[in-house]
Amino acid sequence: MSSSFSTSSAPGAGPSPGSGDHPRRAHDDALWGAFASAQTSSEFCSSWLALQCLQVTDVRAALLLLEQGSGTFVPAAVWPSEQTDVTYLAPAAQQCLSERRGLLLAGQPGAVLVVAYPVELEGQVHGAVVIDVAERPEAALQLVLRQLHWGIGWIETLFLRRQNGDDAQALQRARIALDVLAVAAEEARLESMAMAVVNDLASRFDCDRVSLGVDRGGRARLLAMSHSAFFEKKSQFVASLENAMDEALDQRRSIVFPPAAESSGAIAIAHRDFAATRAVCSVVLASRGIGVGVLTFERSQGTPFSGDETTAFEAVSALLGPLLDSRLDQHRWFSGRLADQLRGLGRHLKDPRRPGFRVAMAVALLVLLSLFVLDGDYRVSARAVVEGAVQRAAVAPFDGFLRQAPVRAGFVVKQGQLLATLDDRDLHVERQRWLSEREQHKARYHEALAKHERANANVALAQMWEADSQLALVDEKLARANIVAPFDGIVVSGDLSQLLGSPVEQGKLLFELAPLDAYRVILKVEDRDIRDVRVGQSGRLVLTGLAGEALLFEVRNVSMAEAEDGRNTFRVEAQLERSDLKLRPGMEGVGKISVGEESYVWIWTHRLSDWLRMQAWIWLP
């Protein structure tokens, strides 16, 4: 709690009369003085709780809980000291908060007597005060509740002051946002409006530079920079600034770097790279729920942007976003420029002074018609990757530490060749331990047989069998400590050369191996094209590492769909016709499956027509 205030006078008529001794009165005066001069919420609550305990008398312990955040209650003050254990008062506080009324909770005779009262403001519970008092008559307990009822009025004053402060800050932010909007509305053109806004914001918030970027095709493009009439669009600085704007636009949230204490956890990698030693804050300008631009504030003194400043920036962006969106509409082609161009084209066709133009349009029309008549080879394109026909995983057989890993990804290995070794020293120690225990159980077993103690003999025999089982388990682990290659092949993945001595868990993937003489091609076909793919179709594959040669393949299997990079693709397995190629698992390229013949217009436009039909199906009733 960080509210600052000063209390002018104490509640009531002053401290309650005591026994008359001077030390007691001095103590009371000190408490009232601390309450009257409290500057923070913590000091206010501590002195208030001490005064309540002074008024009630015979109080053993007290606890004040106040709301912090949404539905979270934390101790605001503890009496007689912060180190006092008041956890036993928590059930009473919880019951008081749930029932929203004052409670008198008595235990067994001589046990704890707890008085609890809620802190309630405008029908909402904001906390509770709980005190542990000595036993007293019912009338005296009612006086305690009455004292707490009157005293809680000062706690309610604390919340009212907080609310008034928040309302004042919100009003100030609204005034600033309206002033900036008035500055923007005075400019008719988009560029002049952007320049006026960034200059005003830079001077208003004491920033070294304020920049405004707009969304162009999913990427932020710098539109204006304060106190700079011109800037180089392709410079490294502008590219770094636009990357930071993209980061805020993609996440649709404000980003502050260095992050504030109450940071929301937004990703700020681009902001970190752009900021260097500066403080940077980016807020998104939105209109109709869509981000249309980004405002980026910079301050080179190293003073980070506070949460109040970020909230003020967001208030400005909330009003500025719709205005920016309307100005952007006036500069787009489909808002009027395209219609003007079409009308001009019609005038040119009717002009008798331009016969060459009409001939060119006729030739273009014939070419367009021929595209509807002529057929071409329709092929489904897909990204392809080469995999081994068999891919085996080498995993850790048990929990342990890596001792040796002589191979890594790319190594060609033989069957039985050592891939990795786990540290077996602990296993040897464990084996000796179980051997020792087995001998001990065996000795007990023989001793019991000699004494004709059948029960003890059975117990010793069972323990001996258990030791044998543990020995067998340890021997099995020792036998599997050396991880070897199951066949001749190449290590596809796994590099443990820099992890020697690190722990590994049972089942952790260490290496993946694939044979060198058997490959398959995996085509990742998008779901909009999978309807045309059939088993037995042929195609051509061009790999990035063999760009000069097209490899023939045949589709063998159409597998299930999987999500990848935000798209739904199907795994299509194909077999290469040639097996003498020097390939490696993981090589990528592009494969095209021959489907049949279709008109060129259909080949080029069928995806668009399919998308339009789908959208019509979604939106039409």
Side-chain angles (χ1 to χ4, degrees):
M1 303 179 186
S2 59
S3 302
S4 298
F5 47 85
S6 177
T7 307
S8 58
S9 62
S16 60
S19 59
D21 59 329
H22 183 269
R24 174 65 182 270
R25 290 183 178 275
H27 176 68
D28 296 351
D29 293 341
L31 288 179
W32 286 107
F35 180 72
S37 61
Q39 297 297 319
T40 64
S41 298
S42 178
E43 296 175 358
F44 182 90
C45 294
S46 299
S47 57
W48 177 87
L49 185 60
L51 286 174
Q52 296 304 309
C53 296
L54 176 67
Q55 297 287 340
V56 172
T57 69
D58 294 333
V59 177
R60 290 188 284 258
L63 169 65
L64 175 62
L65 290 177
L66 293 182
E67 185 179 17
Q68 184 180 46
S70 178
T72 303
F73 296 89
V74 298
V78 176
W79 189 89
S81 66
E82 295 181 355
Q83 291 74 26
T84 302
D85 185 11
V86 292
T87 54
Y88 67 96
L89 300 178
Q94 184 176 3
Q95 183 177 353
C96 177
L97 292 173
S98 60
E99 297 182 7
R100 304 177 65 172
R101 63 185 180 89
L103 299 175
L104 298 175
L105 303 177
Q108 300 175 356
V112 176
L113 178 62
V114 177
V115 180
Y117 205 87
V119 179
E120 190 171 0
L121 178 63
E122 296 180 355
Q124 183 178 0
V125 175
H126 293 278
V129 57
V130 185
I131 60 177
D132 172 15
V133 299
E135 290 187 7
R136 60 192 70 192
E138 180 68 20
L141 291 176
Q142 294 298 327
L143 291 177
V144 173
L145 286 175
R146 185 176 302 173
Q147 171 63 30
L148 293 179
H149 175 77
W150 286 100
I152 283 175
W154 288 94
I155 301 297
E156 295 174 354
T157 303
L158 172 65
F159 284 98
L160 289 175
R161 289 179 176 178
R162 288 182 184 174
Q163 184 176 355
N164 291 337
D166 295 339
D167 293 341
Q169 292 180 359
L171 184 62
Q172 177 67 9
R173 290 193 295 267
R175 184 185 66 81
I176 294 174
L178 289 174
D179 290 344
V180 175
L181 185 64
V183 172
E186 291 178 356
E187 304 294 337
R189 297 179 63 252
L190 176 64
E191 292 78 8
S192 59
M193 181 201 76
M195 183 58 67
V197 167
V198 296
N199 287 336
D200 181 77
L201 291 174
S203 59
R204 189 181 298 273
F205 291 103
D206 193 22
C207 296
D208 295 330
R209 181 168 45 238
V210 179
S211 305
L212 173 62
V214 295
D215 182 19
R216 296 284 174 80
R219 295 294 304 275
R221 292 292 179 262
L222 184 60
L223 181 62
M225 188 183 301
S226 62
H227 312 303
S228 299
F230 304 98
F231 55 89
E232 181 60 39
K233 296 183 179 181
K234 296 185 180 298
S235 65
Q236 184 177 359
F237 173 80
V238 172
S240 180
L241 175 57
E242 290 177 346
N243 287 337
M245 291 180 173
D246 278 335
E247 195 173 57
L249 197 61
D250 291 342
Q251 300 180 69
R252 287 297 308 278
R253 63 170 64 182
S254 301
I255 299 178
V256 181
F257 189 88
E262 62 276 8
S263 176
S264 61
I267 300 174
I269 298 177
H271 281 74
R272 179 196 62 192
D273 297 338
F274 171 72
T277 59
R278 301 187 299 272
V280 180
C281 177
S282 295
V283 294
V284 179
L285 305 177
S287 175
R288 293 168 291 183
I290 301 174
V292 296
V294 179
L295 276 171
T296 299
F297 301 80
E298 300 176 51
R299 184 178 291 162
S300 62
Q301 291 89 345
T303 303
F305 292 98
S306 63
D308 293 338
E309 289 179 312
T310 304
T311 306
F313 299 159
E314 292 172 348
V316 172
S317 65
L319 295 182
L320 195 60
L323 179 61
L324 177 63
D325 190 26
S326 64
R327 295 295 173 83
L328 288 172
D329 284 337
Q330 298 175 5
H331 289 75
R332 293 183 178 126
W333 278 83
F334 289 99
S335 61
R337 292 190 180 185
L338 181 60
D340 295 338
Q341 294 292 334
L342 292 177
R343 285 191 292 267
L345 181 61
R347 289 193 298 268
H348 292 324
L349 288 175
K350 297 177 181 178
D351 191 350
R353 297 172 299 178
R354 306 190 63 179
F357 182 79
R358 290 196 292 272
V359 172
M361 292 300 298
V363 172
L365 183 60
L366 289 175
V367 172
L368 182 62
L369 292 175
S370 65
L371 295 178
F372 286 89
V373 177
L374 299 178
D375 292 338
D377 185 16
Y378 171 47
R379 297 180 296 178
V380 174
S381 299
R383 294 187 298 109
V385 61
V386 176
E387 293 183 356
V390 178
Q391 192 158 309
R392 187 74 61 83
V395 300
F398 52 84
D399 294 341
F401 294 88
L402 186 65
R403 185 177 68 182
Q404 184 180 4
V407 301
R408 56 180 179 270
F411 277 38
V412 177
V413 296
K414 298 293 183 180
Q415 182 177 1
Q417 181 176 342
L418 181 65
L419 300 179
T421 302
L422 299 182
D423 193 349
D424 57 359
R425 288 176 295 182
D426 292 342
L427 293 176
H428 285 292
V429 173
E430 185 177 2
R431 188 176 187 278
Q432 292 298 326
R433 182 173 65 84
W434 285 112
L435 281 174
S436 176
E437 289 192 10
R438 182 183 180 277
E439 293 301 324
Q440 292 176 7
H441 297 322
K442 185 177 179 180
R444 294 193 192 101
Y445 172 71
H446 288 298
E447 182 180 355
L449 287 179
K451 294 180 179 180
H452 302 287
E453 297 175 353
R454 180 171 299 180
N456 293 337
N458 291 335
V459 171
L461 181 61
Q463 292 175 340
M464 188 170 61
W465 288 347
E466 179 187 5
D468 288 336
S469 300
Q470 294 294 339
L471 279 174
L473 179 60
V474 172
D475 290 338
E476 179 65 20
K477 289 183 178 180
L478 287 172
R480 299 172 62 189
N482 293 330
I483 303 171
V484 298
F487 51 74
D488 295 347
I490 183 173
V491 179
V492 177
S493 64
D495 185 1
L496 307 177
S497 58
Q498 296 181 354
L499 299 176
L500 298 181
S502 61
V504 293
E505 299 177 353
Q506 182 178 3
K508 179 180 179 181
L509 180 63
L510 302 180
F511 300 95
E512 286 184 321
L513 290 85
L516 290 172
D517 55 352
Y519 299 97
R520 65 178 179 181
V521 177
I522 301 299
L523 301 168
K524 299 179 181 179
V525 181
E526 296 185 15
D527 55 354
R528 59 186 176 184
D529 296 326
I530 195 62
R531 63 183 180 183
D532 300 320
V533 178
R534 300 289 185 273
V535 176
Q537 291 174 341
S538 60
R540 292 176 176 270
L541 169 67
V542 175
L543 298 173
T544 304
L546 299 173
E549 184 177 2
L551 308 178
L552 299 177
F553 65 85
E554 182 179 353
V555 177
R556 293 296 179 85
N557 182 39
V558 179
S559 184
M560 302 299 294
E562 60 183 11
E564 182 178 7
D565 297 334
R567 297 181 301 176
N568 196 33
T569 60
F570 283 80
R571 285 174 58 91
V572 176
E573 298 180 11
Q575 183 68 39
L576 293 173
E577 289 189 359
R578 297 177 56 184
S579 60
D580 59 341
L581 299 170
K582 295 182 179 180
L583 303 179
R584 285 290 184 271
M587 297 180 69
E588 295 183 348
V590 176
K592 294 186 177 182
I593 305 172
S594 297
V595 175
E597 291 188 353
E598 298 287 349
S599 65
Y600 285 104
V601 171
W602 185 91
I603 294 174
W604 294 336
T605 62
H606 74 281
R607 290 188 175 182
L608 176 60
S609 61
D610 291 343
W611 182 83
L612 292 175
R613 282 194 292 267
M614 180 59 69
Q615 295 303 313
W617 171 258
I618 294 174
W619 292 106
L620 290 180

